[in-house]
Amino acid sequence: MAAPVPPGAPRATNAPPPPPPNYNPNYQRTPDSLAENMQNLQINRPPSVPNSTPRPPPSYIQSPASRPSVPYSAPQHSAPFPGAVHVSRPGPSPGPQSGVPARPGIAPTGPPQSTFPPNMAPGRPSGYPISHASPFGSRPPTGSFPSAMGGQITTSSGAPPSPFASSSAAPPGAFPASGFSAGPVIPPVAARSGVFASSPLSTGPVMPPSSAPGRPISNGPPVFASGALQGGPRYPSADNMMQPPVGPPPTMLSTQASSQPPTMRMLLGSTVPNVPPSPSVQTAPTAMPFSAAPPGVPPPSGSPYGLQTWPTQPRQVAPPLTIPGSVQPPRMFGMPQPPPPNQPMAAVPPAMSQAGAPLAGPSKIDPNQIPRPIPNASVILHETRQGNQANPPPPATSDYIVRDTGNCSPRYMRCTINQIPCTVDLLTTSGMQLALLVQPLALPHPSEEPIQVVDFGESGPVRCSRCKGYINPFMKFIDQGRRFICNLCGFTDETPRDYHCNLGPDGRRRDAEERPELCRGTVEFAASKEYMVREPMPAVFFFLIDVSMNAIQTGATAAACSAINQVITDLPEGPRTMVGIATFDSTIHFYNLKRALQQPLMLIVPDVQDVYTPLQTDVIVQLSECRQHLELLLENIPTMFQNNRTADSAFGAAIKAAFLAMKSTGGKLLVFQSVLPSVGIGALSAREAEGRTNIIAGEKEAHKLLQPADKTLKTMAIEFAEYQVCVDVFITTQTYVDITSIAVIPRTTGGQVYYYYPFSALSDPAKLYNDLRWNITRPQGFEAVMRVRCSQGLQVQEYSGNFCKRIPTDVDLPGIDCDKAIMVTLKHDDKLQDGSECAFQCALLYTTVYGQRRIRVTTLSLPCTSMLSNLFRSADLDTQFACFLKQAASEIPSSPLSQVREQVTNLCINILHSYRKFCATVSSSGQLILPEALKLLPLYTLALIKSTGLRTDGRIDDRSFWINYVSPLSTPLAIPLVYPRMMAIHDLNSHEGDRPLIPPTIPLSSEHVSDDGIYLLENGDDSLIYIGNSVNPEILRQLFGISSVEEIPSQFVLQQYDNSLSKKLNEVVNEIRRQRCSYLRIKLCRKGDASGGAD
């Protein structure tokens, strides 16, 4: 009899592991396909099939997957709609309405009832129902962007187009309208060694690196932890929807045998065995961001990943392309080779002269040997578990494809340390943090297997009766399957009779591989009636627009109306989608959108101290019934208020009134605000002048200006969250607006702050439109509640992110989307057993935009260790730094900046000192000793100290926005925020066709910037083009249409001119925007400008 296999381990089999489920070597692109990969998202329209049958056996269900711009001003004055009336109060201000329950609870007691909508089939569909279009799909734009461009590497579904494709024309000046195409772009060959080869985390042979001959084989600590450059890829699942990136991933330590400075490995006399060159891989053309795929594109000649199957090693890198004559990228900046097995550290030797003696001078460290991020162009194929052991995840900023074999994908949950310390003393000694970064609705790669939806019928999913943990691959079945042991609390439960199955000779259930909840780390359960305190809420979108004098004169109102008008076509279709609109200055203007009226009727609410809703109905109506009225209204609002001389803004009163209209349903409230709220509820005063005085004087109390002015808006926000209203604020301003106080509302309700300062009617409408469009079309859920459970010995200490928390164990999320991450800090409450595994489970109960109630369960099981060296070897750099970043942001409002900078520095020093003291005692005193996995931590810590949030020379609003941007930031975007990518764009024509689309990344140091060059920097939220003083005038003319640096405009919109250099620059910028899933604003600056520094 075979030895028992612990729960979660894959069954033994002689067959090779299957390729990714969406892997299709004969894939042929369809230009107008709307939903090639929507099955990956699972937040979508259900198939219309008959009602599902009760429980036995559970069903495994895969979910299925314009208008021209409105002119910003009208030539003639038009009066408001005839019949506009002032509405007096119909009675006392409405209180909480009866019959509107609060947040849904988890698993209340009582008999289960019939649950799921009549669209959950008892059988398991074999594929994506082709009869349904993508719920997040969107129409291709009409000539708004070039047609096609080359891509780094395409997945089996083809690289998706930009997240910003639209059927609507972009606002004037937004995008250059021209067409071009490019052939496949070949990524450079990258080197990658086996990961954790000497660690207890992995077993089996280690794959040699795929690099040029001369690369030493390493079986030491993980190479990937040396820090990939921040490509920050995030992946879409539909062909013509707003897509996040499938962009160039980071490369790791690629080398050339010649012309490299001495490294520690060479100084130590290690040998350099030959490594065979990598095989070639086919790539396919990718669709141009911001446009549909052009007709007539020939199909790819083969699979983008060749005939590769899933690896048998713990880590495998998809081999890069090799082209005759292609040039290997030089190894950058003297990065030392990975250490030998007996030296798991990065050692930077003293600076050497030509004779080999240490250089004289104050510095003993060769700057060329200091570790720096090196990009990697290979796609990593990652299995989450292998040989019943957890595989350490690839870097968050790399490009990888996950096969879920028991543990969840690292996109959904990552731990700061991939081996859990057995005791709190061990964790304290390391100086590191123990925390999870949870992104429950993160976008998967198009080639990854879709998340399965399991319907257990009326009784709901199987759970532990003590801790309420959900069934997962690590629960162990005993007594011939009649009982199971919870991997979280250790309690033994009876197996429900209709869920019973005999055990095989390996100790696992015979049906384990057929049930997603028993073999996958991430699964969705159809929620039964016991998880609902009311019917699932409809998808409600309410738009609230500032029409005060400043907003009208700067063009912010016109830009908002134009953006809303264009995205109406992208709202979810169907009778459940409802919309409403209101405007405000010193009063509030609602609009009756009832179809029976010939035109919308304005209803004015003048009382901004004790607001009310003028109508209980017809303010929010079904989109299908009011589309014409809504479009007419949005076209006329800028004209209606073009002569408005009211400078005051009743922001607080307006959102309160909108909330009263949405109270019975919940939904998304999208607010466009341009000036400081000055009248009505939550009125604020300008505090910036006082703040500047205090900062200049070095006052210790200056940080208090980053705390809300009063508790009024916070109290309102808690009430909004209770009734499931999520607020997003788009701040289009040219002055101080006290973001600190305003942002309390989106942070508490699961929303987001968008900041356009100083707002420009020339360059910002395009970004506003794209931000709004992605906001409403990205995968998201409503009325959500989330809880994280841990194994015995650990417990959740704190949650951090954008949410409302009313009870200690749960976080309430009126809105949750694919971009939001939540940090979960953990602490020990008991000693863990060395060699055992510790499990973490995140359960998210939410409603999809189509009214399905779902429970997404994400489970991660990691080994425990009592060795300090294992903690440093298995540290996750990206997650560790993301926690650094979020902790610093949370401290800024309550501590002086100097103190926060010191705390951040000490966090880094304590980790490195602990490693040097306890794990590297045999090293020379002249060497800089860094843990291999964390050797870039000092660089990123220094970058954090210089960032917008921790510098003393910034505006109060800028720092406040930075804090609010960091709060829900995902792990892949944490490092780019403080350590941007920089690339040369003056020599794009010198790049051959076999190079990646995005040029090589340059280190952020002055010696790599020449006075005759032009450089692009981007951090995922903003971008900057730096122009040297000696740039060739011909290059300036080709790129920007100017002849000298003195002609650089103050407001800039990227144009495409009729030359190859301009065409390539537009390709690069559009690819970066697609990767970041953000329409980055571009600012121009020249050497010596006051704004010349990139934040």
Side-chain angles (χ1 to χ4, degrees):
M1 177 180 295
V5 179
R11 288 182 178 273
T13 175
N14 295 325
N22 296 345
Y23 179 90
N24 182 1
N26 299 316
Y27 177 81
Q28 182 166 350
R29 191 173 187 82
T30 304
D32 296 322
S33 170
L34 287 176
E36 289 174 315
N37 285 299
M38 280 309 299
Q39 67 269 33
N40 290 318
L41 297 184
Q42 294 299 330
I43 310 177
N44 44 32
R45 190 193 310 274
S48 298
V49 293
N51 193 8
S52 59
T53 57
R55 167 112 95 147
S59 306
Y60 307 124
I61 301 175
Q62 295 185 17
S63 293
S66 112
R67 299 187 53 83
S69 299
V70 177
Y72 292 161
S73 60
Q76 71 279 355
H77 172 264
S78 173
F81 293 117
V85 294
H86 287 261
V87 180
S88 60
R89 178 184 305 282
S93 178
Q97 298 180 5
S98 61
V100 181
R103 173 189 57 78
I106 285 190
T109 58
Q113 305 172 22
S114 177
T115 85
F116 215 56
N119 46 32
M120 303 299 284
R124 179 177 179 180
S126 59
Y128 183 60
I130 61 173
S131 59
H132 290 277
S134 162
F136 297 110
S138 51
R139 299 167 179 78
T142 53
S144 58
F145 267 93
S147 59
M149 71 177 181
Q152 264 79 15
I153 204 164
T154 57
T155 63
S156 58
S157 58
S162 159
F164 309 107
S166 169
S167 61
S168 310
F175 315 128
S178 60
F180 60 88
S181 61
V185 181
I186 312 302
V189 175
R192 188 174 192 87
S193 68
V195 179
F196 288 140
S198 60
S199 165
L201 277 180
S202 63
T203 59
V206 180
M207 181 182 178
S210 55
S211 182
R215 165 77 179 181
I217 296 178
S218 169
N219 60 349
V223 176
F224 69 73
S226 64
L229 200 65
Q230 355 8 341
R234 296 150 61 202
Y235 300 98
S237 298
D239 185 73
N240 285 330
M241 63 169 283
M242 289 187 153
Q243 303 282 3
V246 182
T251 60
M252 298 300 154
L253 304 177
S254 58
T255 65
Q256 286 180 325
S258 60
S259 70
Q260 65 178 11
T263 66
M264 268 310 297
R265 196 174 184 88
M266 294 179 178
L267 295 174
L268 292 173
S270 59
T271 59
V272 183
N274 289 330
V275 179
S278 305
S280 61
V281 177
Q282 295 286 340
T283 61
T286 56
M288 175 64 197
F290 305 95
S291 85
V297 174
S301 58
S303 165
Y305 300 116
L307 297 177
Q308 200 153 0
T309 60
W310 285 106
T312 57
Q313 294 86 358
R315 174 77 76 254
Q316 178 169 341
V317 179
L321 295 164
T322 54
I323 299 294
S326 64
V327 181
Q328 295 287 332
R331 187 169 67 85
M332 297 173 63
F333 324 118
M335 177 75 79
Q337 300 287 353
N342 59 355
Q343 187 187 358
M345 63 187 75
V348 180
M352 297 287 179
S353 65
Q354 291 182 356
L359 291 172
S363 175
K364 294 184 179 181
I365 296 176
D366 183 359
N368 288 330
Q369 295 289 332
I370 295 176
R372 297 186 187 276
I374 299 180
N376 179 13
S378 298
V379 177
I380 301 168
L381 305 178
H382 173 68
E383 284 193 353
T384 58
R385 290 182 72 87
Q386 199 157 31
N388 196 34
Q389 288 186 329
N391 276 341
T397 51
S398 63
D399 190 359
Y400 58 93
I401 301 173
V402 175
R403 183 172 182 231
D404 185 339
T405 52
N407 270 346
C408 67
S409 165
R411 303 187 204 283
Y412 304 124
M413 188 190 303
R414 300 180 78 100
C415 189
T416 53
I417 313 173
N418 292 306
Q419 294 192 42
I420 307 301
C422 287
T423 64
V424 65
D425 292 337
L426 186 64
L427 178 63
T428 304
T429 301
S430 73
M432 291 188 285
Q433 308 166 83
L434 183 59
L436 300 170
L437 262 294
V438 182
Q439 195 175 349
L441 298 184
L443 290 171
H445 191 284
S447 291
E448 292 174 1
E449 179 181 358
I451 296 175
Q452 301 290 332
V453 180
V454 182
D455 184 12
F456 274 91
E458 296 180 358
S459 57
V462 176
R463 303 177 68 179
C464 171
S465 60
R466 177 195 283 176
C467 70
K468 300 301 180 185
Y470 291 86
I471 187 73
N472 64 77
F474 306 99
M475 286 187 172
K476 183 177 181 180
F477 286 84
I478 59 174
D479 194 14
Q480 291 303 310
R482 288 189 285 269
R483 293 185 297 162
F484 64 91
I485 302 173
C486 177
N487 61 312
L488 298 172
C489 70
F491 187 72
T492 301
D493 263 305
E494 297 291 331
T495 304
R497 180 171 299 179
D498 53 1
Y499 193 64
H500 176 268
C501 179
N502 289 329
L503 304 183
D506 56 359
R508 298 184 71 211
R509 286 173 55 120
R510 293 184 180 275
D511 63 349
E513 294 300 324
E514 301 168 7
R515 291 183 176 272
E517 73 274 16
L518 298 180
C519 64
R520 297 288 181 263
T522 304
V523 69
E524 280 206 344
F525 296 111
S528 55
K529 287 291 184 181
E530 62 180 326
Y531 295 90
M532 306 181 195
V533 294
R534 66 171 182 179
E535 287 298 314
M537 59 178 281
V540 177
F541 299 88
F542 196 99
F543 302 97
L544 189 59
I545 306 171
D546 186 351
V547 292
S548 61
M549 178 176 66
N550 183 275
I552 293 292
Q553 293 178 351
T554 60
T557 300
C561 291
S562 174
I564 297 169
N565 209 356
Q566 294 177 78
V567 302
I568 289 174
T569 57
D570 298 306
L571 292 173
E573 297 180 359
R576 294 181 56 83
T577 303
M578 306 180 73
V579 295
I581 190 168
T583 55
F584 67 97
D585 44 25
S586 61
T587 58
I588 307 159
H589 326 113
F590 284 91
Y591 299 89
N592 187 336
L593 299 175
K594 193 174 181 180
R595 175 187 288 180
L597 300 174
Q598 291 185 351
Q599 60 185 8
L601 176 66
M602 179 191 289
L603 306 167
I604 300 174
V605 179
D607 189 346
V608 293
Q609 295 295 339
D610 192 8
V611 296
Y612 53 90
T613 301
L615 290 175
Q616 294 301 318
T617 59
D618 299 335
V619 171
I620 299 177
V621 296
Q622 290 184 2
L623 175 62
S624 57
E625 295 183 0
C626 69
R627 185 185 298 270
Q628 292 183 348
H629 280 356
L630 189 58
E631 293 174 350
L632 175 64
L633 177 61
L634 289 166
E635 291 172 357
N636 282 279
I637 283 176
T639 306
M640 291 161 50
F641 293 97
Q642 66 180 358
N643 293 325
N644 191 2
R645 293 296 176 263
T646 303
D648 291 328
S649 167
F651 168 80
I655 59 173
K656 176 73 171 181
F659 160 70
L660 294 175
M662 305 172 67
K663 191 174 181 179
S664 61
T665 59
K668 285 181 72 76
L669 173 58
L670 300 108
V671 186
F672 299 83
Q673 169 74 6
S674 295
V675 294
L676 183 75
S678 54
V679 296
I681 303 172
L684 303 171
S685 59
R687 302 187 290 168
E688 186 180 33
E690 177 188 352
R692 286 185 178 279
T693 302
N694 287 349
I695 290 176
I696 293 172
E699 295 287 341
K700 294 183 178 180
E701 300 299 313
H703 62 270
K704 291 189 175 180
L705 295 171
L706 293 170
Q707 299 172 6
D710 58 44
K711 297 182 179 180
T712 303
L713 295 179
K714 177 66 174 180
T715 304
M716 291 171 52
I718 294 174
E719 186 182 10
F720 292 4
E722 182 179 355
Y723 288 91
Q724 310 300 340
V725 174
C726 172
V727 182
D728 294 301
V729 181
F730 298 78
I731 299 177
T732 53
T733 186
Q734 296 179 346
T735 58
Y736 172 77
V737 294
D738 197 352
I739 292 179
T740 299
S741 298
I742 291 176
V744 167
I745 296 177
R747 285 191 71 167
T748 307
T749 60
Q752 186 174 345
V753 176
Y754 298 84
Y755 186 43
Y756 310 85
Y757 175 87
F759 181 79
S760 165
L762 174 66
S763 58
D764 286 337
K767 178 172 174 57
L768 178 64
Y769 159 69
N770 284 292
D771 287 347
L772 176 63
R773 188 167 188 269
W774 179 239
N775 181 288
I776 65 174
T777 59
R778 63 188 170 188
Q780 57 193 290
F782 303 132
E783 54 180 350
V785 60
M786 190 188 89
R787 175 183 293 187
V788 173
R789 296 175 173 88
C790 311
S791 290
Q792 285 181 315
L794 290 177
Q795 63 177 336
V796 173
Q797 180 178 4
E798 185 181 10
Y799 294 95
S800 176
N802 287 11
F803 54 78
C804 181
K805 189 176 178 184
R806 290 198 295 270
I807 61 175
T809 56
D810 297 353
V811 294
D812 298 321
L813 296 153
I816 177 72
D817 58 69
C818 62
D819 295 330
K820 300 285 193 306
I822 294 175
M823 183 173 73
V824 185
T825 308
L826 307 170
K827 67 177 181 180
H828 286 78
D829 59 10
D830 201 354
K831 184 177 180 179
L832 301 172
Q833 182 180 353
D834 191 9
S836 65
E837 290 210 348
C838 183
F840 309 93
Q841 187 176 82
C842 170
L844 178 75
L845 173 68
Y846 72 103
T847 301
T848 71
V849 293
Y850 291 102
Q852 299 166 315
R853 199 75 172 138
R854 295 279 181 80
I855 309 163
R856 178 165 292 195
V857 177
T858 304
T859 308
L860 175 67
S861 185
L862 297 174
C864 302
T865 183
S866 57
M867 295 181 61
L868 186 62
S869 59
N870 285 345
L871 297 186
F872 287 105
R873 186 179 296 114
S874 60
D876 189 306
L877 172 66
D878 303 80
T879 315
Q880 285 279 354
F881 181 75
C883 292
F884 269 42
L885 183 67
K886 291 173 183 289
Q887 289 183 356
S890 65
E891 288 290 329
I892 292 173
S894 57
S895 305
L897 287 177
S898 58
Q899 182 177 326
V900 178
R901 287 194 293 268
E902 184 178 358
Q903 290 174 353
V904 170
T905 305
N906 288 338
L907 281 172
C908 179
I909 290 174
N910 291 341
I911 294 175
L912 302 183
H913 177 260
S914 174
Y915 181 80
R916 178 73 186 237
K917 181 178 180 180
F918 298 107
C919 301
T921 54
V922 297
S923 58
S924 166
S925 59
Q927 293 176 335
L928 174 62
I929 302 300
L930 303 173
E932 179 69 18
L934 299 174
K935 63 186 178 185
L936 292 175
L937 187 60
L939 174 66
Y940 295 151
T941 302
L942 179 62
L944 172 58
I945 292 173
K946 295 180 177 181
S947 65
T948 302
L950 295 180
R951 291 200 331 234
T952 57
D953 58 350
R955 299 173 62 253
I956 297 292
D957 269 355
D958 291 344
R959 185 175 297 113
S960 180
F961 171 72
W962 186 89
I963 294 169
N964 284 278
Y965 179 81
V966 165
S967 175
L969 192 66
S970 63
T971 308
L973 291 178
I975 290 175
L977 179 65
V978 300
Y979 193 87
R981 281 194 292 188
M982 181 169 72
M983 58 203 75
I985 58 175
H986 56 275
D987 57 353
L988 292 176
N989 278 334
S990 65
H991 294 179
E992 300 297 333
D994 59 351
R995 296 284 187 92
L997 180 60
I998 294 183
T1001 306
I1002 300 174
L1004 301 180
S1005 54
S1006 58
E1007 60 265 25
H1008 296 94
V1009 178
S1010 63
D1011 206 35
D1012 59 351
I1014 304 176
Y1015 303 90
L1016 171 67
L1017 292 93
E1018 65 87 19
N1019 66 358
D1021 180 59
D1022 233 332
S1023 59
L1024 178 78
I1025 293 180
Y1026 174 87
I1027 303 175
N1029 286 331
S1030 304
V1031 176
N1032 186 336
E1034 178 61 21
I1035 294 179
L1036 288 176
R1037 185 193 63 79
Q1038 292 182 25
L1039 289 178
F1040 310 117
I1042 58 178
S1043 57
S1044 69
V1045 292
E1046 284 75 20
E1047 300 177 21
I1048 293 176
S1050 58
Q1051 297 184 9
F1052 175 71
V1053 176
L1054 182 64
Q1055 303 288 341
Q1056 180 167 318
Y1057 300 96
D1058 189 17
N1059 61 77
S1060 62
L1061 188 61
S1062 177
K1063 171 185 172 181
K1064 289 182 178 179
L1065 175 58
N1066 277 267
E1067 289 178 343
V1068 169
V1069 169
N1070 289 336
E1071 175 65 11
I1072 293 173
R1073 286 169 171 168
R1074 186 182 67 84
Q1075 285 183 8
R1076 299 304 193 193
C1077 202
S1078 174
Y1079 185 89
L1080 307 180
R1081 283 199 299 185
I1082 299 177
K1083 301 176 184 176
L1084 293 185
C1085 75
R1086 52 178 290 189
K1087 183 177 180 180
D1089 283 353
S1091 60
D1095 292 342

